[in-house]
Amino acid sequence: MFYYKSTKYKDSFQIMLICCHFFFFSSLFLLSPFRTNMKKGYMELYDLNRDLVNGYKIRCNNHTELLSCLRAVNQAIQRAGRLRVGKPKTQVVSACRDAIKNNNINALFKIIRAGSTSS
């Protein structure tokens, strides 16, 4: 604790400390409902933030996987096109892209194998 040579200041200092403690603890008592509500609010905010970050990670992983699959499909189309020269090459590539646009996977496989869907 603090030591003073004069008892006059010592007594007033102790009274001041008692008053400060009284106001501090009374303010804690009065603000305790707000404190619990704030704590609850921060916990909810933390949970929401964690959910948002997890959702972002899932979307990021899905996006990365989608890009790698698109690269693989594009490479397969390019390889199928390289087997041909000139006009048949462009026809195969455009037919493959049309099959992908129309979500026709069977036609895509036939185009890559034979160069066209009619066979």
Side-chain angles (χ1 to χ4, degrees), residues 42-58:
Y42 277 120
M43 288 174 64
E44 289 175 4
L45 183 63
Y46 176 78
D47 292 340
L48 180 64
N49 188 40
R50 187 185 60 224
D51 293 342
L52 287 172
V53 168
N54 288 337
Y56 172 75
K57 286 179 183 177
I58 290 169

Side-chain angles (χ1 to χ4, degrees), residues 82-94:
R82 281 191 216 128
L83 294 174
R84 293 148 183 96
V85 178
K87 190 174 179 183
K89 177 180 181 176
T90 56
Q91 287 175 345
V92 166
V93 172
S94 64

